[in-house]
Amino acid sequence: MTPQTIPPAFVLVRPQMGENIGAAARAMLNFGLDRMRVVDPRDGWPSPQAVALASGAGRVLDGAQLYPNVQGAVADCDYVYATTARGRELTKPILTPEAAMRDARARVAAGQRVAVLFGPERAGLENDDITRANAIITVPVNPEFPSLNLAQCVLLLGYEWRRQTAPAPDLIHHMARTTWANGAEVEALGDHFEQRLTDAGFFYPPEKVAGMKEGLRNMWTRLNLTQAEVQTLHGMLRQIAYKLRGQDRSD
Amino acid sequence: MTPQTIPPAFVLVRPQMGENIGAAARAMLNFGLDRMRVVDPRDGWPSPQAVALASGAGRVLDGAQLYPNVQGAVADCDYVYATTARGRELTKPILTPEAAMRDARARVAAGQRVAVLFGPERAGLENDDITRANAIITVPVNPEFPSLNLAQCVLLLGYEWRRQTAPAPDLIHHMARTTWANGAEVEALGDHFEQRLTDAGFFYPPEKVAGMKEGLRNMWTRLNLTQAEVQTLHGMLRQIAYKLRGQDRSD
């Protein structure tokens, strides 16, 4: 029996600007997350600024739960990650977003409830908050310019959650209505070009002809053409030949 | 001989708001990228709004190159990726950010120059821009809420570039000044607890003693304690025993 799985809760700890809460809600929903918790927001709750900026992601705010402190916000959680901009003196494992969300995926699949803490905009999480977490997440940014705002940090964790749990194929197939040219069609195209170019005296000097023809054959397959592109190339060649014949006649 | 490697250029195509150009500069520098190109920005160039928002990343703007069109911006590039929010009718491979930046890493390592195109805020890239690219990148967002702004898209591509080119270990080691307890220290801690708990009559009933002791021994190793934590636990136990003796005396 598969246990019930509950996606991670993202916990905004003492956020300052309502706008950033709204932007965080959008960033969460971009990657299919909607379990927001808010701890002691500076400007009260609900936040009109958050609602204004969330626009299409308003339902994340509607469903958000408010807590007076971190302990309350993670009371029902089996495993908690705390995001920090830099390592702390606390003895906690520090994970990349990738490793943390892979770990979270495994825990969630096993029926655990997990949460990710995000600190206030300026100072980040306090050590007292971090002692409530089981592990730390640090985004490996450029050490000379490590500034990430709240919504950006939420965005990157949401991206990693989705990447770990709903991996897209590297090559996203899209060309549903496209038909690729098959081997015979590519061969016929090669024949057509070879014939016309022979007529035009393209293959010269004789000792290089074999290599030139081989190079062209190789190009046609390497291009990985669609059936439509093969037809276009046939058409181009026919039209040029037709015009040339016209010019020959007009001479 | 290693060829000279040039990191990807990020090309902002017809950006509208200077603020978004500034935010994009920050997002790039977060992940160590500083080769920005700007095509026909709506409000002219240089942009005071961009400079204001870039703050610490102003040098990315200082070094940015201005072009009248996409053709010019990618004229020196060997391979170009175009970011789009959704698949287009154009016959191009569509890659995830991960696959694209892995591909870019290989191309850059081989000495190629690559660029990533980012469209204007509202409409995104036009098909005419995309025909100048070799491949398309689409971030696999929640299809019911696919909104990503310009700086967020830049951030995610920068993140993937850094993840592919400067992979951090899953577990970022940090506890440089921490000494882990070794087997003998953990064993001595277990002995100490076992002795005190035996004195306190904790191990009962007799037929369960072996299992109780085994469970405790297992816990001490599972906790993966530091030397400092082992000392703290010894100290706690000694202090409690001392207090208990004191109470015994005061009775």
Side-chain angles (χ1 to χ4, degrees):
Chain A
M1 209 178 80
T2 312
Q4 194 196 358
T5 63
I6 301 167
F10 276 19
V11 184
L12 310 189
V13 180
R14 299 182 301 278
Q16 303 180 306
M17 306 274 288
E19 289 81 352
N20 293 332
I21 303 172
R26 294 176 64 86
M28 285 176 65
L29 198 55
N30 278 147
F31 295 110
L33 290 165
D34 59 5
R35 299 184 63 238
M36 177 185 274
R37 295 177 174 187
V38 183
V39 172
D40 189 22
R42 187 190 64 185
D43 298 337
W45 195 259
S47 162
Q49 289 81 13
V51 172
L53 215 96
S55 54
R59 69 178 179 85
V60 175
L61 297 179
D62 295 339
Q65 294 171 288
L66 182 67
Y67 296 89
N69 54 41
V70 171
Q71 297 92 297
V74 302
D76 66 342
C77 296
D78 300 301
Y79 204 86
V80 177
Y81 308 88
T83 56
T84 71
R86 59 201 178 285
R88 302 295 179 98
E89 296 306 301
L90 297 167
T91 306
K92 287 270 160 73
I94 302 188
L95 305 169
T96 59
E98 178 180 7
M101 292 300 97
R102 193 164 54 223
D103 181 68
R105 177 194 62 195
R107 292 181 187 280
V108 165
Q112 291 188 36
R113 286 166 179 264
V114 308
V116 184
L117 307 181
F118 297 87
E121 290 89 336
R122 289 191 179 275
L125 292 170
E126 294 178 3
N127 280 356
D128 188 53
D129 305 317
I130 299 173
T131 60
R132 264 75 193 191
N134 300 86
I136 289 172
I137 301 172
T138 294
V139 180
V141 287
N142 175 7
E144 293 170 22
F145 190 74
S147 80
L148 278 181
N149 69 33
L150 176 55
Q152 287 176 320
C153 192
V154 168
L155 185 83
L156 290 173
L157 268 296
Y159 171 78
E160 276 293 353
W161 169 256
R162 193 169 180 94
R163 207 171 65 80
Q164 296 298 329
T165 55
D170 283 352
L171 185 65
I172 302 169
H173 292 294
H174 66 300
M175 295 182 275
R177 276 176 291 173
T178 295
T179 311
W180 297 101
N182 64 27
E185 289 161 337
V186 175
E187 192 71 17
L189 181 72
D191 291 345
H192 189 184
F193 266 82
E194 201 169 292
Q195 185 55 54
R196 297 291 189 193
L197 291 168
T198 300
D199 295 349
F202 174 78
F203 294 111
Y204 186 87
E207 67 273 22
K208 297 213 169 163
V209 170
M212 293 171 80
K213 289 183 175 178
E214 187 182 82
L216 270 180
R217 291 282 171 181
N218 189 56
M219 182 183 80
W220 297 123
T221 49
R222 189 183 64 78
L223 293 180
N224 195 23
L225 297 163
T226 67
Q227 218 169 53
E229 289 165 345
V230 166
Q231 290 313 316
T232 302
L233 288 163
H234 276 300
M236 284 164 49
L237 200 57
R238 271 194 301 269
Q239 182 61 21
I240 290 166
Y242 171 82
K243 276 284 184 191
L244 284 174
R245 281 198 304 273
Q247 285 176 351
D248 284 350
R249 244 176 266 139
S250 69
D251 278 345
Chain B
M1 209 177 79
T2 311
Q4 192 195 2
T5 63
I6 300 168
F10 276 19
V11 184
L12 309 189
V13 180
R14 298 183 301 280
Q16 302 180 306
M17 306 273 289
E19 289 83 350
N20 294 332
I21 303 172
R26 294 176 64 84
M28 285 175 64
L29 198 54
N30 278 146
F31 296 110
L33 290 166
D34 59 4
R35 299 185 63 237
M36 179 186 272
R37 295 177 174 188
V38 184
V39 173
D40 190 21
R42 188 190 62 185
D43 300 336
W45 194 258
S47 160
Q49 290 81 11
V51 172
L53 214 95
S55 55
R59 71 178 178 84
V60 175
L61 297 178
D62 295 342
Q65 295 171 288
L66 182 68
Y67 297 88
N69 54 39
V70 170
Q71 297 92 297
V74 301
D76 65 344
C77 296
D78 300 300
Y79 205 85
V80 177
Y81 308 88
T83 56
T84 71
R86 59 200 178 286
R88 303 293 180 101
E89 296 307 303
L90 297 167
T91 304
K92 287 270 160 71
I94 302 187
L95 304 170
T96 59
E98 178 180 6
M101 292 300 97
R102 193 164 54 225
D103 181 70
R105 176 194 64 195
R107 292 181 187 280
V108 166
Q112 291 190 35
R113 287 168 178 262
V114 307
V116 184
L117 308 181
F118 297 88
E121 289 90 334
R122 288 189 180 278
L125 292 169
E126 293 178 4
N127 280 355
D128 189 53
D129 304 317
I130 299 173
T131 60
R132 264 75 192 191
N134 300 86
I136 290 172
I137 301 173
T138 294
V139 180
V141 287
N142 175 6
E144 293 169 24
F145 191 75
S147 78
L148 279 181
N149 68 34
L150 176 56
Q152 286 177 321
C153 193
V154 168
L155 185 81
L156 289 173
L157 268 296
Y159 171 79
E160 276 292 355
W161 170 256
R162 193 168 180 92
R163 206 170 67 78
Q164 298 296 331
T165 54
D170 283 352
L171 184 65
I172 303 167
H173 293 292
H174 67 300
M175 296 180 276
R177 276 176 291 172
T178 294
T179 312
W180 298 101
N182 65 25
E185 289 162 338
V186 174
E187 191 71 14
L189 181 71
D191 291 344
H192 189 185
F193 266 82
E194 201 169 291
Q195 184 57 54
R196 296 294 187 191
L197 291 169
T198 299
D199 294 349
F202 175 78
F203 294 112
Y204 185 88
E207 67 272 22
K208 297 214 171 161
V209 170
M212 292 170 79
K213 289 182 175 178
E214 188 182 81
L216 271 179
R217 291 283 170 180
N218 189 56
M219 184 184 78
W220 297 124
T221 49
R222 189 182 63 78
L223 294 179
N224 195 23
L225 297 163
T226 67
Q227 220 169 51
E229 288 164 344
V230 165
Q231 291 312 315
T232 302
L233 287 164
H234 276 301
M236 284 165 48
L237 199 56
R238 273 195 299 270
Q239 183 61 21
I240 289 167
Y242 171 80
K243 275 283 182 192
L244 284 173
R245 280 199 303 274
Q247 286 176 348
D248 284 349
R249 245 175 265 138
S250 69
D251 279 343

